[in-house]
């Protein structure tokens, strides 16, 4: 008599026999609405500028950004996270383009809102690194250190101009202590209780940001280890999570995604707000480079990594493949 519950009566391979069977029993499913497209817009260019370290990704013109936003809507993508790249001569120690209503990021927010309205969540990076001549995410003190509290004042101003420009969601990404509470207060002071905050809760001082520095024409000298998290730490992320929620975060995020799936899973298990993860530039570039060499199957690798990120607990994923993947899923 065959005994079920062990081999040979039980054969898990029965549930892997055909594509239809595997599709039916899949425990994790990607959907276009899971995806958010990060996009760069550069001031003063007449044609999109390819990013050498990120094949297939460009610094958009205002017009090409609007086209990319419309394509994302058509594919079913949920949101677009905008990063503005000002002209080099406009950068200064305070990151003035970040609070100028006519700064490139604010102009881009208005452009995209005019193009897609509420059909796509327009999300804005709330940080100074793209706009400062020193490339850090905050204001520097006399010793050249990032001044946390002086930076918070700048973030409050940025939140208000981004909301005025039409952002549905702001993403404070500088990892300053107290940034979520300050941004929430700044938005509420101008009657923008409707603008949501996506907190970069666990943002690690990662080696995988390299291509992004080219994408935003970063002027960074040194590193960001005094404000971004140590890759060795887990409990520190959970402390940051508790603080962000207490200060009013509507959504939380882990960045990078792939090297920190354990952190993502811990965060997802601990909260009842949406959890996002950012598949960052280095993760993108490694797959593209290996695929170009013929070492891996590009399409399978993309879907496998995104499925792994969702399986670990991400409700939403920021990925440079968002529109491409959404089109294929659709």
């Amino acid at each position: 008599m065959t005994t079920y519950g062990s081999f040979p009566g039980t054969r898990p391979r029965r549930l892997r026999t055909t594509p239809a069977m595997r599709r039916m029993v899949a425990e994790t499913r990607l959907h276009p609405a899971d995806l958010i497209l990060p996009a760069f817009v550069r001031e003063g260019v007449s044609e999109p500028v390819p990013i050498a370290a990120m094949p297939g990704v460009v610094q958009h013109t205002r017009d090409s950004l609007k086209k990319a936003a419309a394509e994302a809507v058509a594919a079913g993508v949920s949101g677009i996270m905008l990063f503005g790249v000002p002209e080099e001569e406009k950068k200064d120690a305070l990151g003035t383009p970040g609070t100028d209503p006519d700064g490139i990021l604010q102009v881009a927010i208005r452009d995209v809102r005019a193009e897609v309205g509420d059909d796509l969540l327009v999300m804005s990076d709330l940080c100074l690194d793209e706009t400062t001549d020193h490339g850090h995410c905050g204001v520097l003190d006399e010793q050249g250190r990032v001044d946390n509290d002086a930076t918070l004042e700048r973030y409050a101003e940025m939140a208000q101009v981004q909301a005025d420009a039409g952002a549905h969601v702001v993403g404070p990404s500088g990892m300053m202590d107290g940034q979520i509470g300050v941004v929430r207060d700044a938005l509420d002071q101008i009657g923008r209780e409707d603008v949501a905050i996506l907190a970069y809760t666990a943002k690690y001082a990662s080696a995988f940001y390299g291509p992004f520095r080219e994408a935003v024409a970063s002027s960074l000298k040194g590193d960001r280890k005094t404000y971004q998290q140590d890759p060795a730490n887990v409990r520190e992320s959970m402390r940051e999570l508790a603080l962000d929620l207490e200060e009013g975060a509507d959504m939380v995020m882990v960045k990078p995604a792939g090297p920190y799936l354990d952190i993502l899973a811990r965060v997802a298990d601990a909260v009842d707000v949406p959890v996002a993860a950012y598949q960052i530039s280095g993760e993108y570039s490694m797959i593209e480079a290996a695929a170009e060499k013929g070492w891996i199957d590009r399409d399978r690798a993309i879907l496998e990594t995104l499925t792994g990120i969702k399986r670990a607990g991400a409700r939403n994923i920021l990925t440079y493949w968002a529109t491409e993947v959404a089109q294929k899923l659709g």
Side-chain angles (χ1 to χ4, degrees), residues 40 51 53-54 207-216 280-286:
F40 309 101
I51 299 167
M54 300 178 69
F208 293 96
Y209 295 130
F212 180 89
R213 305 278 161 81
E214 178 189 345
V216 297
I280 67 169
S281 60
E283 298 175 76
Y284 173 94
S285 296
M286 285 193 301

Side-chain angles (χ1 to χ4, degrees), residues 36-320:
I36 297 167
L37 175 68
F40 309 101
V41 57
R42 179 171 170 178
E43 188 173 27
V45 295
S46 57
E47 297 290 339
V49 179
I51 299 167
M54 300 178 69
V57 179
V58 301
Q59 294 172 328
H60 284 287
T61 66
R62 290 174 59 185
D63 286 339
S64 70
L65 178 65
K66 290 188 287 186
K67 181 180 178 182
E71 290 174 348
V73 171
V77 170
S78 283
I80 186 167
M81 175 65 80
L82 300 179
F83 297 86
V85 184
E87 293 176 318
E88 194 67 28
E89 61 270 18
K90 293 185 179 179
K91 296 181 181 181
D92 60 23
L94 297 177
T96 298
T99 50
D100 181 355
D102 294 321
I104 183 58
L105 180 54
Q106 288 68 253
V107 169
I109 294 169
R110 290 195 292 269
D111 284 344
V112 174
R113 279 300 303 271
E115 183 73 18
V116 300
D118 292 332
D119 292 337
L120 186 70
L121 282 174
V122 179
M123 314 169 90
S124 54
D125 180 56
L126 201 164
C127 195
L128 289 170
D129 58 322
E130 295 98 358
T131 60
T132 53
D133 55 11
H134 47 73
H136 278 286
C137 297
V139 178
L140 304 184
D141 63 17
E142 293 178 356
Q143 285 75 46
R145 302 168 301 189
V146 174
D147 186 324
N148 192 94
D149 296 4
T151 298
L152 294 181
E153 295 179 15
R154 299 291 293 137
Y155 286 2
E157 294 179 60
M158 292 182 76
Q160 291 177 343
V161 297
Q162 290 178 6
D164 285 342
H168 295 102
V169 180
V170 295
S173 61
M175 290 300 289
M176 296 297 122
D177 294 339
Q179 63 184 13
I180 303 304
V182 166
V183 168
R184 183 73 269 160
D185 286 345
L187 292 168
D188 292 353
Q189 285 171 14
I190 61 170
R192 296 309 307 271
E193 295 88 354
D194 58 321
V195 174
I197 298 176
L198 170 59
Y200 283 61
T201 290
K203 183 177 180 181
Y204 284 89
S206 173
F208 293 96
Y209 295 130
F212 180 89
R213 305 278 161 81
E214 178 189 345
V216 297
S218 174
S219 303
L220 181 65
K221 302 173 183 64
D223 58 50
R224 295 176 174 146
K225 293 180 180 179
T226 64
Y227 45 102
Q228 293 178 352
Q229 286 183 239
D230 186 334
N233 293 350
V234 177
R235 288 192 296 271
E236 184 180 30
S237 290
M238 304 311 291
R239 185 183 186 197
E240 291 277 8
L241 175 65
L243 290 168
D244 283 354
L245 293 173
E246 183 179 345
E247 292 173 24
D250 299 289
M251 300 171 276
V252 297
M253 185 159 69
V254 175
K255 179 180 181 181
Y260 298 92
L261 294 180
D262 60 324
I263 308 299
L264 176 58
R266 286 278 296 269
V267 169
D269 285 344
V271 303
D272 57 4
V273 299
V275 176
Y278 197 147
Q279 186 182 52
I280 67 169
S281 60
E283 298 175 76
Y284 173 94
S285 296
M286 285 193 301
I287 289 176
E288 290 288 354
E292 190 274 331
K293 291 283 190 180
W295 293 340
I296 60 173
D297 182 317
R298 177 184 181 274
D299 291 352
R300 286 184 61 196
I302 291 169
L303 287 175
E304 185 174 338
T305 56
L306 292 173
T307 300
I309 294 165
K310 187 171 182 183
R311 188 185 64 242
R315 177 88 59 87
N316 298 105
I317 305 169
L318 285 80
T319 175
Y320 299 98

